[in-house]
């Protein structure tokens, strides 16, 4: 077990390192740089040169990368060219916003999707057909569309704020939650549907096993079989996808953030990429890959605990 | 020689045990799958007809503007007029009543007949200049949303279909090579694909797209996006192909072919890869909806197709203003189109008896 954990930790560290390095080098190699994009193509060469020197863009890639790496090891990720402030602060704020959104969505999706999956996997009849049909429809509506539709509904009815994270004026938790409802729902719906389908499949497989029949014959109540014994055995496939779901949530939250103007990592990275803000791109990539690494790590460990065979 | 049991057989034996807790099924499992398959096929066929027949089915070109009809509501074809008399299909023209708020009212006094098969279109109004047929309303430039939806299908769906084909091809080659050769190559390729699989695909696509020149021609954007999607989608295919090739390689027919003198290339291309064709088709139907959504997301944030091009994402981008969407809800119709295509392909994958996982490439 200890060896397995160490192996997964190394993988996680490698992930963060490779992704942020690749982001930095790719952005640096891209045509056009920050100096040219802000000053314009017809800027005087000496002004351009001066700006490049200020941002360190006149150095060779290898040198700039090496320098960044040394500083990054000391948790100094450089300064954003667009904003003129350290990258670390910007990224931390945006990552926190994305984390709030994604974590809420994940919890909501689990609380809704899992029980529905248990029900639809262990019963038959019109309720189950209904759940199944709804989840197929929801599964076919990506977060981009869900958030657009919810936004239009919110604007029509005025029940929820249209976009953004906070109202003007003093911020409060209630206000944040008020703004959170719409994007979190948009992000959670497809994931909840996926959980429902996965859990339903796993449940119906387990429910067909002889030991369930044996328990039933011994007089164990049906609800206890379903919600305790069968559920425990059927949890594995859902836990196995949790690691992948973190990636899906990040992908989905990119679309949701764009539609509802939620000031998260996606928006920050998009703007940084467009402005060729090299250090900020690398910082965003590092934060995103940290989420991923954390998600896969947790899901791998949970899987290893539920099913000891997994890490052999 | 070890003979591996096909995975499906062991599945079958498990499923045949009594489903203890379940009452009998309301109707046959097979019938339900068939129903899904029919609906899915019908929806997807509609989309393909739209792609192929866009120039004929669309009443207008993708960039024909009607300057007097900015954000005009859809014109609904009718057969009964206000007096209750029947006519050949006709529409009422829109009359602008409030230029500032872009409010229109129907001119109930004049009927504009629809003419069939004239000037290269299946159906259009007899007086295009005054009262064009706009089944999907007009966008903020006065372009017919329905026509743009059809031309957009060519861009969005065409891109997704081609990119998914590319991903399947690339994945089959990589996975086939890894599974057939084995050893170091296998290890290296699978490590790389493991890595790519963990990453959120839309960010990979975004990063690759953003670091390439931002201003390109439509054809270049199409090719570029198709290539990026294919590369990002390939690892999903490669893993499965590798697993199939590895297990198939042990089977007697491959040994027989080898003993008859078949070379490596022939073994791989003629014997092993055809065994993965079923898997490839399934992967293709999983990748197409993912790519449709990816295109929509990219175009929505302004990194996909440039403006005059009709693509579903670009149309959503044009409409990405909450007030506009509330006042002119027909601008959301590309969302409906995306939903129907994704639903169609989901129904097709769900209708397979071997029940596929619900995890999605993107």
């Amino acid at each position: 077990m200890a060896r397995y954990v160490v192996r997964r930790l190394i993988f996680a560290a490698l992930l963060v390192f490779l992704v942020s390095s690749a982001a930095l080098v790719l952005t640096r190699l891209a045509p056009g740089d920050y100096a040219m994009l802000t000053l314009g193509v017809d800027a005087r060469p000496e002004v351009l040169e001066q700006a490049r020197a200020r941002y360190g863009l006149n150095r060779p890639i290898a040198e700039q990368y090496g320098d960044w790496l040394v500083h990054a090891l000391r948790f100094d990720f450089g300064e954003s060219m667009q904003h003129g402030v350290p990258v670390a602060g910007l990224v931390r704020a945006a990552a926190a916003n994305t984390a709030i959104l994604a974590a809420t969505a994940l919890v909501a999706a689990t609380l809704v999707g899992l029980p529905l999956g248990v029900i639809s996997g262990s019963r038959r009849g019109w309720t189950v057909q209904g759940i199944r049909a709804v989840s197929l429809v929801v599964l076919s509506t990506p977060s981009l569309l869900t958030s657009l539709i919810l936004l239009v509904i919110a604007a029509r009815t005025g029940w929820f704020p249209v976009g953004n994270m906070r109202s003007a004026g003093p911020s409060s938790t209630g206000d944040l939650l008020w703004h959170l409802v719409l994007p979190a729902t948009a992000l959670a719906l497809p994931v909840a549907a996926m959980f429902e389908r996965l859990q339903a499949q796993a449940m119906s497989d387990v429910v067909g096993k002889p030991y369930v029949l044996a328990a039933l014959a011994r007089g164990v109540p049906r609800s206890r079989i379903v919600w305790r014994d069968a559920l425990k055995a059927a949890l594995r496939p859902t836990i196995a996808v949790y690691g992948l779901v973190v990636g899906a949530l990040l992908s989905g939250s990119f679309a949701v953030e764009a539609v509802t103007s939620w000031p998260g990592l996606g928006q920050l990275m998009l703007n940084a990429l467009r402005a060729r803000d090299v250090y900020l791109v690398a910082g965003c990539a590092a934060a995103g890959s940290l989420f991923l690494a954390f998600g896969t790590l947790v899901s791998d460990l949970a899987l290893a605990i539920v099913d000891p065979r997994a890490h052999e | 020689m070890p003979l591996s049991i096909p995975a499906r057989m062991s599945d079958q034996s498990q499923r045949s045990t009594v489903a203890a807790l379940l009452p009998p099924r309301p109707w046959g499992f097979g019938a339900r799958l068939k129903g899904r398959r029919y609906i899915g096929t019908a929806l997807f066929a509609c989309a393909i007809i739209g792609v192929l027949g866009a120039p004929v089915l669309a009443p207008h070109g993708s960039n024909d503007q009607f300057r007097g009809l900015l954000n005009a509501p859809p014109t609904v074809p009718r057969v009964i007029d206000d007096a209750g008399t029947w006519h050949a299909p006709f529409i009422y023209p829109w009359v602008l009543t409030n230029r500032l708020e872009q409010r229109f009212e129907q001119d109930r006094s004049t009927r504009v007949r629809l003419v069939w098969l004239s000037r290269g279109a299946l159906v259009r109004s007899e007086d295009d200049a005054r009262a064009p047929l706009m089944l999907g309303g007009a966008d903020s430039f006065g372009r017919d949303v329905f026509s743009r939806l059809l031309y957009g299908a060519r861009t969005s769906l065409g891109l997704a279909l081609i990119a998914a084909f590319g991903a399947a091809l690339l994945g089959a080659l990589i996975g086939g090579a890894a599974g057939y050769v084995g050893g170091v190559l296998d290890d290296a390729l699978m490590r790389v694909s493991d890595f790519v699989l963990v990453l959120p695909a839309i960010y990979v696509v975004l990063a690759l797209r953003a670091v390439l020149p931002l201003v390109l021609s439509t054809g270049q954007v199409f090719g570029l996006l198709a290539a990026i999607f294919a590369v990002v989608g390939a690892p999903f295919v490669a893993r499965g192909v590798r697993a199939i090739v590895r297990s198939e390689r042990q089977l007697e027919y491959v040994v027989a072919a080898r003993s008859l003198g078949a070379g490596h290339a022939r073994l791989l291309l003629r014997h092993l890869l055809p065994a993965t064709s079923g898997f490839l088709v399934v992967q293709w139907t999983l990748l197409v909806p993912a790519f449709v959504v990816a295109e929509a997301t990219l175009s929505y944030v302004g990194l996909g197709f440039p403006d005059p091009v009709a693509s579903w994402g670009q149309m959503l981008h044009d409409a990405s203003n909450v007030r506009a969407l509330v006042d002119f809800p027909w601008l959301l119709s590309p969302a409906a189109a995306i939903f129907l295509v994704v639903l169609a392909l989901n129904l097709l994958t769900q209708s397979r008896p071997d029940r596929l996982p619900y995890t999605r490439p993107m």
Side-chain angles (χ1 to χ4, degrees):
Chain A
M1 187 74 190
R3 271 193 57 199
Y4 178 71
V5 173
V6 170
R7 242 190 14 238
R8 298 311 305 174
L9 276 175
I10 291 174
F11 177 79
L14 206 65
L15 184 77
V16 176
F17 168 72
L18 282 179
V19 167
S20 47
S21 303
L24 185 104
V25 173
L26 265 180
T27 321
R28 187 60 217 279
L29 286 175
D33 59 14
Y34 181 70
M36 202 160 84
L37 286 176
T38 42
L39 295 173
V41 188
D42 43 343
R44 274 182 297 144
E46 59 267 26
V47 179
L48 267 178
E49 234 9 81
Q50 212 179 345
R52 288 205 175 112
R54 210 184 121 215
Y55 300 123
L57 291 173
N58 52 353
R59 290 183 296 166
I61 296 181
E63 194 189 315
Q64 194 189 11
Y65 172 64
D67 206 34
W68 175 82
L69 208 59
V70 171
H71 280 98
L73 286 177
R74 282 183 260 144
F75 294 101
D76 168 18
F77 295 96
E79 201 171 81
S80 160
M81 300 168 189
Q82 284 171 290
H83 306 276
V85 292
V87 163
L90 281 173
V91 169
R92 199 176 301 136
N97 293 345
T98 297
I100 292 174
L101 180 60
T104 316
L106 187 60
V107 171
T110 311
L111 288 182
V112 173
L114 227 56
L116 283 181
V118 171
I119 291 171
S120 67
S122 63
R123 288 162 199 259
R124 274 191 194 128
W126 293 108
T127 351
V128 172
Q129 293 301 320
I131 295 176
R132 194 189 278 266
V134 168
S135 89
L136 195 60
V137 166
V138 172
L139 207 62
S140 309
T141 323
S143 298
L144 177 73
L145 305 188
T146 326
S147 49
L148 268 173
I149 294 164
L150 288 179
L151 206 62
V152 171
I153 294 175
R156 269 248 150 120
T157 57
W159 290 342
F160 291 103
V162 180
N164 242 323
M165 194 172 162
R166 290 189 172 85
S167 318
S171 65
S172 65
T173 318
D175 184 52
L176 175 65
L177 288 178
W178 190 237
H179 283 80
L180 186 61
V181 174
L182 202 153
T185 312
L187 188 54
L189 276 176
V191 182
M194 190 186 82
F195 281 162
E196 190 275 328
R197 296 285 69 220
L198 271 176
Q199 195 57 46
Q201 262 183 24
M203 269 316 268
S204 67
D205 283 346
V206 169
V207 154
K209 291 272 165 66
Y211 63 74
V212 172
L213 184 64
L216 207 63
R218 256 182 283 125
V220 183
R222 190 183 179 283
S223 63
R224 206 166 99 176
I225 298 178
V226 169
W227 292 99
R228 209 193 62 179
D229 306 328
L231 178 58
K232 213 187 273 174
L235 220 44
R236 211 171 66 87
T238 316
I239 294 179
V241 299
Y242 255 79
L244 292 176
V245 164
V246 176
L249 277 174
L250 281 179
S251 277
S253 83
F254 176 76
V256 173
E257 283 169 16
V259 174
T260 63
S261 46
W262 184 266
L265 216 47
Q267 292 296 88
L268 191 67
M269 179 140 174
L270 180 65
N271 290 331
L273 270 171
R274 296 184 121 174
R276 306 280 192 248
D277 192 341
V278 180
Y279 298 126
L280 190 53
V281 171
C284 289
S289 54
L290 210 57
F291 278 140
L292 276 181
F294 179 72
T296 41
L297 198 65
V298 168
S299 115
D300 282 346
L301 293 185
L303 204 58
I305 291 166
V306 175
D307 182 1
R309 286 168 302 180
H311 59 87
E312 276 155 16
Chain B
M1 211 205 78
L3 247 180
S4 70
I5 301 162
R8 220 168 272 161
M9 199 183 280
S10 56
D11 273 4
Q12 212 69 67
S13 63
Q14 268 181 14
R15 209 171 296 157
S16 65
T17 52
V18 190
L21 291 168
L22 303 179
R25 297 178 186 277
W27 68 81
F29 194 48
R32 208 161 63 216
L33 295 185
K34 224 182 240 170
R36 277 185 213 165
R37 190 154 59 236
Y38 287 152
I39 301 172
T41 316
L43 279 175
F44 195 62
C46 287
I48 295 297
I49 290 171
V51 169
L52 296 177
V56 178
L57 293 173
H60 309 286
S62 68
N63 282 315
D64 295 356
Q65 295 187 12
F66 299 95
R67 294 187 188 281
L69 291 167
L70 308 185
N71 286 326
T75 50
V76 186
R78 298 161 183 275
V79 284
I80 310 175
D81 68 5
D82 285 346
T85 4
W86 287 71
H87 298 278
F90 67 94
I91 54 172
Y92 288 123
W94 289 109
V95 179
L96 190 64
T97 54
N98 183 336
R99 187 171 291 277
L100 200 64
E101 288 180 24
Q102 296 183 327
R103 300 250 168 261
F104 291 85
E105 256 170 41
Q106 278 178 337
D107 176 8
R108 293 278 189 164
S109 58
T110 38
R111 284 183 287 110
V112 180
R113 273 194 314 125
L114 298 183
V115 286
W116 300 86
L117 295 173
S118 88
R119 281 183 291 151
L122 179 67
V123 58
R124 61 197 314 157
S125 87
E126 63 177 350
D127 185 2
D128 255 352
R130 196 168 59 92
L133 175 67
M134 290 194 176
L135 292 171
D139 66 7
S140 57
F141 295 95
R143 298 175 295 200
D144 177 25
V145 170
F146 179 70
S147 301
R148 281 180 74 73
L149 215 51
L150 287 172
Y151 281 102
R154 297 196 134 189
T155 329
S156 299
L157 203 53
L159 172 70
L161 294 176
I162 291 171
F165 183 75
L169 199 68
L170 200 61
L173 287 179
I174 296 174
Y180 186 78
V181 178
V184 182
L185 180 72
D186 184 29
D187 271 355
L189 284 175
M190 285 307 113
R191 282 286 145 76
V192 171
S193 80
D194 262 353
F195 203 79
V196 178
L197 284 179
V198 182
L199 300 175
I202 194 75
Y203 276 93
V204 181
V205 172
L206 182 75
L208 289 178
R209 173 66 190 94
V211 298
L212 291 161
L214 294 179
V215 184
L216 291 170
S217 75
T218 310
Q220 284 171 319
V221 172
F222 193 96
L224 194 66
L225 287 184
I228 292 176
F229 287 177
V231 167
V232 174
F236 294 90
V237 183
R239 292 191 65 82
V241 168
R242 169 194 175 259
I244 296 173
V245 166
R246 274 185 79 94
S247 67
E248 288 287 313
R249 207 171 53 152
Q250 318 281 334
L251 296 185
E252 278 134 342
Y253 76 92
V254 181
V255 179
R258 188 182 294 143
S259 63
L260 283 171
H264 294 305
R266 189 183 167 84
L267 267 183
L268 191 59
L269 295 177
R270 288 295 300 273
H271 295 286
L272 289 170
L273 285 183
T276 66
S277 60
F279 172 79
L280 287 181
V281 170
V282 172
Q283 285 299 305
W284 189 80
T285 56
L286 285 173
L287 285 170
V288 170
F291 289 164
V292 169
V293 175
E295 185 277 326
T297 312
L298 270 191
S299 294
Y300 185 85
V301 299
L303 283 174
F305 290 97
D307 178 47
V309 184
S311 92
W312 291 345
Q314 176 55 39
M315 291 172 75
L316 283 179
H317 173 80
D318 278 347
S320 63
N321 169 342
V322 186
R323 287 260 60 92
L325 285 178
V326 172
D327 290 340
F328 319 115
W330 51 90
L331 294 181
L332 261 181
S333 49
I338 294 171
F339 165 71
L340 287 177
V341 165
V342 177
L343 181 70
L345 288 161
N346 275 348
L347 283 167
L348 284 180
T349 35
Q350 299 305 302
S351 69
R352 295 174 60 88
D354 49 356
R355 297 201 295 174
L356 293 151
Y358 290 84
T359 40
R360 242 304 133 58
M362 285 189 200

